[in-house]
Amino acid sequence: MSKIRNRLQNYLLGTSLQKKLIILFLPLAIIPLSILGTFSYYKSSQVVQTQVSKTILESLSQVNYSLNYFVKDIEQLTMYIYSNREIQDILSKDQGRTLAEKQQDEKRVNDILDTFLGFKNWNIAIYLLGENGDRYFTGNLLPSQYDDYNLNWGLFRKMRLAGGNIIWDTHYSMKKTEDFGIVLSSGRQLKKIETNKPLGFMVVDIMENALADKYNKAHLQPGGQMLLLDRNGYVISSTPSKHIVGTKLNEPYLDKVLSGNKGFFEPASKDSAPVMVVYDTSEMTGFKLVSIVPVAVLTKESSSIRNLMLFIMILFGVVSCWVAYVLSVTITNPLRKLKSLMYLVENGNMDVAFSSKYRDEVGQLGLSFNKMVQRIKQLIDEVYKKQLMLKEAEIKAIHAQFNPHFLYNALDSINWMARIHKITDISQTVISLGELLRFSIRKGQPFIQVKEDMHQIRNFLFIQQMRYGDKLEVEIHIDEEIESLYTLKLLIQPIVENAITHGLEIKPGKGQLSIRGWRVEEYVRFEIRDNGVGMSSDMVERILSGKYVSDSEQNTGIGLENSVKRLQLYFGSNYRFEIESEIMQGTTILIEIPIMRSGEDHRV
């Protein structure tokens, strides 16, 4: 993979500018267009999907409206039977009446039931179960559970607890494989109107196809499924597939359907094709009418939009290719001309000029090229003068190298003369001065070990003590822990020199100077303290802010403000430099730098 990436990178970097412009322009034109087209198609598909889902929801509402009428008709039918005087009288009779009377009563009840069922073409079965043992029904057979019923059985228990009000019960297990028979039952407990005495029970069994006929009138999308669920999520009826009738719907979106009233949503699906679930709830029964429609069916209307967007994208892609080629040629032609002129200049031909009628960046580049060629001509004329000046500078450098060596030799001669005459102070002063001179002009790393820096400071202080005598008292205390660490070269010496020259020299009486060094966590801290004349707070602020300007002609330029600048240069903000000073009370300077265990360990 890395080889392919490197080859592609080398190709793009090595190709011509014209190709680069084409490669750059085409994605800038095609990618936004592709994103816009994809977004437009996606949004239009969503709009179409939403509108179709709303249409299906309205259709489900109409079907639920029809089912509500069906439920109302069943409730009215049961109420008519409940309040029929003849049925009440027959169910009130004694079980021990004659067989002829029973046959006459059976014929009369059947005529009444046929009359009620004759108004509409219902696929239902009615059962009248009297407590006196009478059994009347519209079907061909009397189910055994209705002939010898149990008052604590689900359907009869519900009717008994309802006390004459209508109840609905779903059948949860189907034995048949094609004709699913009874899927829903309704019933009432029959009571004597005058005395409220229980007379028996009335049961209305509703066949699956009686319900399916109601919602088959709704427009079912190809590949879709229509379900009628009870309050608990059991399938009362379904179309076109019937295999789940009588079972609880085993789908992850069931809880959302049961908790809602009406609406539509697209459930998450990983292993199957996405579908849209549209549902509506009956206000009377609480039954859910659910339509499951494949999303592909809902969005098929947006295929024309997709085709139009593909055509526009292809058309604009072709136009973009043509525009990219024209623009690349227009931009690169002046650059090719400028390139050929540069080739001539490389071969020594200075009599060339770039002409352009445009004043864009390329035209300005051509004007700069013309000026550059003229300037090169002038530089060629001056090159010999510069070579002479360079030789002069080299000669001066040789002389400059001679002076320090001459000074070292002179100091060495003075040292031996002092030692011959046994003038120890002069000999030690000359040795210290020589070491200081070598140290200050030595080339190399800007960082040295703390012990070496302290050695040079002691040399410097020895010379100063020879000068000031008993007026200067010095105390140096450096922890052994930090002697092997590194510090910035000539960091402390200018501060010591400043303390002596500007603090102690002009102080009446003896001056005291203290130099201390120790480690504080990951930093090395130096403290230079004197009891000199001190400084004002205004001067301290100007020194720390870099705005201090000395008016003394004796100032060498290596002072406190220069130390701050060097610390900023080498350590950035990772340092500490503080000055505490009061007039005639002395000055204390505190410096902290990061711990450095080698001369290259500093970090800005």
Side-chain angles (χ1 to χ4, degrees), residues 217-276:
K217 299 177 182 179
H219 179 62
L220 184 63
Q221 300 292 334
Q225 177 82 6
M226 192 82 73
L227 305 173
L228 181 64
L229 308 178
D230 67 0
R231 296 175 184 269
N232 298 317
Y234 284 86
V235 181
I236 301 174
S237 177
S238 69
T239 187
S241 175
K242 306 286 187 179
H243 69 280
I244 58 174
V245 171
T247 64
K248 190 168 185 178
L249 184 64
N250 185 22
E251 295 292 346
Y253 53 78
L254 177 62
D255 292 338
K256 188 172 183 179
V257 171
L258 294 179
S259 61
N261 186 40
K262 62 186 298 186
F264 52 87
F265 62 91
E266 182 179 347
S269 57
K270 295 182 179 179
D271 301 329
S272 58
V275 295
M276 180 67 70

Side-chain angles (χ1 to χ4, degrees), residues 425 428-437 439 448-467 472-480 482-484 490 492-494 496-497 500 513-517 526:
D425 291 342
Q428 186 62 41
T429 303
V430 170
I431 292 174
S432 299
L433 181 60
E435 288 185 0
L436 278 176
L437 182 60
F439 175 75
I448 62 171
Q449 286 186 317
V450 173
K451 61 182 178 181
E452 183 180 357
D453 192 49
M454 288 298 108
H455 178 69
Q456 301 304 328
I457 290 175
R458 287 186 176 93
N459 286 333
F460 173 77
L461 290 174
F462 179 81
I463 297 173
Q464 295 295 333
Q465 285 179 318
M466 293 299 298
R467 175 184 177 186
L472 178 61
E473 181 180 329
V474 178
E475 178 186 0
I476 300 178
H477 179 73
I478 304 296
D479 287 355
E480 293 183 1
I482 69 170
E483 286 187 347
S484 60
L490 294 176
I492 300 177
Q493 180 178 332
V496 173
E497 180 181 359
I500 296 173
L513 177 66
S514 170
I515 303 174
R516 296 178 58 228
F526 296 103

Side-chain angles (χ1 to χ4, degrees), residues 167-379:
I167 61 96
W168 294 89
D169 189 57
T170 306
H171 288 242
Y172 297 141
S173 60
M174 301 292 105
K175 295 182 180 180
K176 300 180 181 180
T177 56
E178 295 181 0
D179 180 13
F180 285 87
I182 304 168
V183 295
L184 191 63
S185 295
S186 176
R188 291 178 186 268
Q189 184 181 25
L190 300 177
K191 294 183 178 182
K192 188 70 174 178
I193 296 177
E194 292 82 2
T195 62
N196 204 31
K197 176 185 177 182
L199 298 176
F201 297 95
M202 173 179 52
V203 178
V204 180
D205 283 343
I206 302 171
M207 305 301 170
E208 195 274 339
N209 54 10
L211 296 174
D213 288 342
K214 301 298 179 183
Y215 58 76
N216 279 340
K217 299 177 182 179
H219 179 62
L220 184 63
Q221 300 292 334
Q225 177 82 6
M226 192 82 73
L227 305 173
L228 181 64
L229 308 178
D230 67 0
R231 296 175 184 269
N232 298 317
Y234 284 86
V235 181
I236 301 174
S237 177
S238 69
T239 187
S241 175
K242 306 286 187 179
H243 69 280
I244 58 174
V245 171
T247 64
K248 190 168 185 178
L249 184 64
N250 185 22
E251 295 292 346
Y253 53 78
L254 177 62
D255 292 338
K256 188 172 183 179
V257 171
L258 294 179
S259 61
N261 186 40
K262 62 186 298 186
F264 52 87
F265 62 91
E266 182 179 347
S269 57
K270 295 182 179 179
D271 301 329
S272 58
V275 295
M276 180 67 70
V277 177
V278 187
Y279 66 97
D280 186 67
T281 306
S282 171
E283 296 179 356
M284 292 187 60
T285 62
F287 294 161
K288 305 278 185 177
L289 193 59
V290 183
S291 178
I292 298 97
V293 187
V295 173
V297 175
L298 299 179
T299 58
K300 67 179 182 180
E301 300 297 333
S302 59
S303 58
S304 58
I305 300 176
R306 178 195 60 199
N307 297 335
L308 177 61
M309 292 306 303
L310 286 175
F311 173 75
I312 294 175
M313 289 171 60
I314 294 173
L315 177 62
F316 272 85
V318 174
V319 173
S320 298
C321 292
W322 179 78
V323 172
Y325 175 77
V326 172
L327 287 177
S328 63
V329 171
T330 304
I331 293 174
T332 56
N333 276 343
L335 294 176
R336 288 196 187 96
K337 180 180 178 182
L338 186 59
K339 177 184 175 183
S340 62
L341 293 177
M342 288 182 176
Y343 181 76
L344 294 176
V345 172
E346 287 178 2
N347 290 291
N349 185 3
M350 297 295 174
D351 298 325
V352 295
F354 179 81
S355 59
S356 176
K357 57 183 177 180
Y358 301 108
R359 289 296 177 265
D360 56 3
E361 286 79 0
V362 178
Q364 295 175 5
L365 181 62
L367 294 176
S368 298
F369 171 77
N370 294 336
K371 293 179 181 179
M372 181 189 69
V373 173
Q374 296 297 323
R375 180 59 178 164
I376 289 175
K377 289 182 179 180
Q378 295 176 2
L379 292 176

